Amino acid sequence: MWVYEKALLYPVRVTRPDPRMAKNIITQYGGPDGELAASLRYLTQRYTMPIPQAIGVLTDIGTEELAHMEIVAALVYNLIRDAPLSEIKAVGLDAYYADHDRALYFVNAAGAPWTASYIQSKGDPVTDLHEDMAAEQKARSTYEYLIDLSDDPDVIDVLRWLREREVVHFQRFGETLNLVHDYLNSRHVF
Amino acid sequence: MDAGRDELLNRIRALQFTAVELGLFLDTHPEDARALADYNAASQELMRLKETYEQRYGPLLDYGFSLSPQSWRWIEEPWPWQVSM
Ligand SMILES: [Fe+2]
């Protein structure tokens, strides 16, 4: 089961609406390398991991990504909440507005809806952990591009923190892959 | 949100982050005694601060993990994403 805690894992401060950045940042909500994809990928891969360390890492990182998803949502929500319609039209968020008003929906920066084909669950722990390491690097790159696109120090602060977490997750997945290799080598000869 | 509440919540977040980090580290280094001691120290301090916070500002957790003695405070605003500009 999961328990909801009524606090963000990292604080979000938004001092002015910025629908342009909301439109970009939403890709980390529902885009290919976003937090929903990350969380669901890890949480569904964990069932077929062969060693307890790997199950633990996927459970804990998958759960942390859910907390990141809430942080991204808090950013997007507050960046568009008080944005006037004129600005929403000016930055090209009017197509999004037609379907969702200022509500949160799982899309990438270009408006394409989230799809399960963003993630894989292969049953081979070596394959899955390689996907997970690549996923962390892709998320890191995306946060770097978002930082490039933003000029708001409060928003950049949150994006930097999220970027840093991807670096740590990559490290943990790398260690997990080594542990899985050790385990497989001790059991089989290929 | 008042400044005292924010400050207390930030102290909780800092400890929670420490626990998240150490927990992930321990997943791949379960034999590390120092990390384990640090994890338990952070968790203990975290539990103490959460108790103080919840007495003042209401429950942080649902599903029976936090008490709500006088009245049902779970639905009191702000929710985490309701930040003031
Ligand atoms: Fe991550």
Side-chain angles (χ1 to χ4, degrees), chain A residues 36-89:
Chain A
L36 177 71
S39 179
L40 297 185
R41 174 188 298 110
Y42 306 150
L43 291 177
T44 204
Q45 287 178 353
R46 68 191 176 131
Y47 298 99
T48 42
M49 283 291 146
I51 55 172
Q53 297 96 317
I55 295 172
V57 163
L58 284 166
T59 299
D60 293 346
I61 295 182
T63 300
E64 189 186 339
E65 308 291 16
L66 279 178
H68 295 178
M69 191 175 87
E70 189 185 31
I71 292 168
V72 172
L75 269 180
V76 173
Y77 168 72
N78 285 288
L79 288 170
I80 52 175
R81 190 183 61 177
D82 296 324
L85 255 188
S86 57
E87 255 191 79
I88 289 205
K89 284 195 263 184

Side-chain angles (χ1 to χ4, degrees), chain A residues 65 136 166 169:
Chain A
E65 308 291 16
E136 293 296 333
E166 313 303 359
H169 292 170

Side-chain angles (χ1 to χ4, degrees), chain A residues 13-190:
Chain A
R13 234 171 70 91
V14 173
T15 50
R16 59 178 168 89
D18 188 348
R20 185 187 63 88
M21 271 318 286
K23 185 174 189 264
N24 296 325
I25 292 172
I26 205 167
T27 201
Q28 283 305 89
Y29 193 59
D33 309 314
E35 302 292 352
L36 177 71
S39 179
L40 297 185
R41 174 188 298 110
Y42 306 150
L43 291 177
T44 204
Q45 287 178 353
R46 68 191 176 131
Y47 298 99
T48 42
M49 283 291 146
I51 55 172
Q53 297 96 317
I55 295 172
V57 163
L58 284 166
T59 299
D60 293 346
I61 295 182
T63 300
E64 189 186 339
E65 308 291 16
L66 279 178
H68 295 178
M69 191 175 87
E70 189 185 31
I71 292 168
V72 172
L75 269 180
V76 173
Y77 168 72
N78 285 288
L79 288 170
I80 52 175
R81 190 183 61 177
D82 296 324
L85 255 188
S86 57
E87 255 191 79
I88 289 205
K89 284 195 263 184
V91 302
L93 255 183
D94 44 343
Y96 182 90
Y97 181 88
D99 286 323
H100 311 292
D101 191 336
R102 292 177 181 80
L104 294 193
Y105 189 62
F106 294 105
V107 291
N108 74 357
W114 192 86
T115 160
S117 58
Y118 287 158
I119 67 174
Q120 183 55 289
S121 189
K122 209 65 191 165
D124 180 326
V126 173
T127 309
D128 282 349
L129 285 165
H130 274 97
E131 164 163 329
D132 302 342
M133 292 171 74
E136 293 296 333
Q137 294 295 354
K138 287 187 276 185
R140 177 188 57 75
S141 301
T142 307
Y143 281 119
E144 286 171 10
Y145 304 151
L146 290 172
I147 290 165
D148 292 344
L149 291 168
S150 177
D151 52 15
D152 183 333
D154 289 326
V155 171
I156 288 174
D157 177 68
V158 179
L159 295 173
R160 277 215 185 104
W161 184 83
L162 288 164
R163 176 200 171 278
E164 196 55 43
R165 297 308 296 152
E166 313 303 359
V167 176
V168 172
H169 292 170
F170 175 78
Q171 170 75 24
R172 296 284 96 88
F173 281 135
E175 292 161 1
T176 307
L177 180 62
N178 288 337
L179 290 167
V180 165
H181 275 308
D182 291 346
Y183 167 80
L184 293 175
N185 288 338
S186 72
R187 283 183 73 239
H188 309 288
V189 182
F190 288 108

Side-chain angles (χ1 to χ4, degrees), chain B residues 46-66:
Chain B
L46 179 59
M47 282 187 242
R48 200 182 63 76
L49 282 187
K50 276 188 175 177
E51 217 179 285
T52 307
Y53 180 94
E54 291 186 323
Q55 275 165 9
R56 283 185 210 162
Y57 306 112
L60 278 167
L61 301 165
D62 60 352
Y63 294 170
F65 288 90
S66 295

